Amino acid sequence: MALSRGLRCCQRAFAWVPVLIITLVVLWSYYAYVFELCLMTLSNPAEKVAYLIIFHVLFVLFVWTYWKSIFTLPVQPGKKYHMSYADKERYENEERPEVQRQILAEIARKLPVYTRTGSGGIRFCDRCQLIKPDRCHHCSVCAVCVLKMDHHCPWLNNCIGFSNYKFFLLFLAYSLLYCLYIAVTVFKYFIKYWTGELTNGRSKFHILFLLFLAVMFFVSLMFLFGYHCWLISRNRSTLEAFSTPVFQNGPDKNGFNLGFVKNFQQVFGEEKKLWLLPIASSQGDGHFFPMRALCEAQNPLLSNEEQWEDDGIDEEPHDSGEAVSLAIERET
């Protein structure tokens, strides 16, 4: 018992190593840019002040979004998605799978749950003992179910989900601007040191290495940020991009796609003044998300009531005849 606790503590401590590495690199970049470039290398006072002001604005935004991405805890499903004590006891004491399926169907019928497992069953987490809301997944690293989980990021040692996805995107965006600004402003002095026009040996090392790291991180972050921009435009998470969500009428990779504007507003909100700030403004509470199929079915120009009922897309997510065929998703 004590050994397993010690291993868990070591694992948790080791998980912070990537965060520590990134933090040290950022602190060194601050020192190299402010002291070695601006204070030790630049000779023009006006240029020095302009460089420092713009750099500190980007640095504050970068650090702010980085901090919010790390320390904003992922949101877990609300109490109504958890089994009550009576339901849990009834479910665990029941040995017949078909009756267990009926119990889950009865519980899920009261909830706004529309997605299913690959076999068409209720999405249920054995570890957390809850019916999973749409787009919710269990994170084996955090050991909790996370609303609208995108992925677990080792560089942040945190799950990226509904609570901090906006902060994560802003972190990527400001990281790109931070690296780009450093690369552009340092390049001229990199050339001067390279050609021997400037000879300060200590500053030369910092500036050469600073440019190398800025370009390297910019290229890698550009691909990652571009990929998440594509995900936003389709209203998908990273998990949904690799595993198509299954609805009552089957798999649909565009099930949550409402168009670029509405997809963007789901993450950043409708208040334009909050879009570029790491302040929570995402729409909803993470438990329910508008779906393209529901919107079309409720539009008389796109579908009629008979088609709504035939397709099985209704405001009531389950019916009694459906329960027998449902399978249980168990995550181990």
Side-chain angles (χ1 to χ4, degrees), residues 79-95 99-100 103-104 106-107 110 124-131 330:
K79 291 183 178 180
K80 68 178 181 179
Y81 291 88
H82 290 258
M83 275 189 171
S84 65
Y85 179 79
D87 289 334
K88 182 178 178 181
E89 189 175 42
R90 184 161 60 105
Y91 176 79
E92 291 179 346
N93 292 335
E94 182 57 57
E95 297 180 356
V99 179
Q100 287 184 327
I103 294 173
L104 290 180
E106 291 174 4
I107 300 172
K110 306 172 185 177
F124 176 73
C125 180
D126 272 339
R127 291 186 176 184
C128 300
Q129 292 291 297
L130 57 81
I131 303 294
R330 299 179 183 273

Side-chain angles (χ1 to χ4, degrees), residues 88-203:
K88 182 178 178 181
E89 189 175 42
R90 184 161 60 105
Y91 176 79
E92 291 179 346
N93 292 335
E94 182 57 57
E95 297 180 356
R96 292 170 293 177
E98 64 274 9
V99 179
Q100 287 184 327
R101 291 193 289 266
Q102 290 179 2
I103 294 173
L104 290 180
E106 291 174 4
I107 300 172
R109 189 180 297 117
K110 306 172 185 177
L111 302 171
V113 176
Y114 294 89
T115 53
R116 300 289 184 267
T117 65
S119 58
I122 298 297
R123 300 177 65 244
F124 176 73
C125 180
D126 272 339
R127 291 186 176 184
C128 300
Q129 292 291 297
L130 57 81
I131 303 294
K132 293 182 182 178
D134 294 340
R135 315 185 82 174
C136 174
H137 296 275
H138 185 88
C139 176
S140 58
V141 180
C142 298
V144 294
C145 283
V146 179
L147 294 179
K148 196 187 176 183
M149 180 177 172
D150 187 87
H151 69 285
H152 184 90
C153 181
W155 297 104
L156 300 174
N157 191 29
N158 197 9
C159 257
I160 305 303
F162 174 78
S163 62
N164 59 357
Y165 189 53
K166 175 189 174 182
F167 305 149
F168 175 72
L169 292 172
L170 289 177
F171 163 65
L172 293 180
Y174 288 127
S175 298
L176 277 173
L177 291 176
Y178 182 75
C179 293
L180 180 62
Y181 179 76
I182 289 177
V184 170
T185 53
V186 166
F187 182 73
K188 179 173 67 173
Y189 298 94
F190 168 83
I191 296 297
K192 290 183 177 181
Y193 276 115
W194 189 266
T195 58
E197 185 176 344
L198 294 174
T199 58
N200 189 331
R202 190 184 68 177
S203 296

Side-chain angles (χ1 to χ4, degrees), residues 198-248:
L198 294 174
T199 58
N200 189 331
R202 190 184 68 177
S203 296
K204 178 181 179 180
F205 166 79
H206 286 285
I207 290 175
L208 296 183
F209 198 55
L210 185 61
L211 179 64
F212 171 76
L213 284 182
V215 172
M216 182 184 69
F217 277 104
F218 175 81
V219 173
S220 58
L221 288 170
M222 181 176 60
F223 287 104
L224 182 60
F225 181 68
Y227 175 68
H228 279 279
C229 287
W230 178 81
L231 290 177
I232 289 180
S233 69
R234 299 293 190 273
N235 203 347
R236 300 176 195 168
S237 66
T238 300
L239 293 176
E240 291 166 352
F242 287 95
S243 180
T244 301
V246 179
F247 297 86
Q248 290 176 327

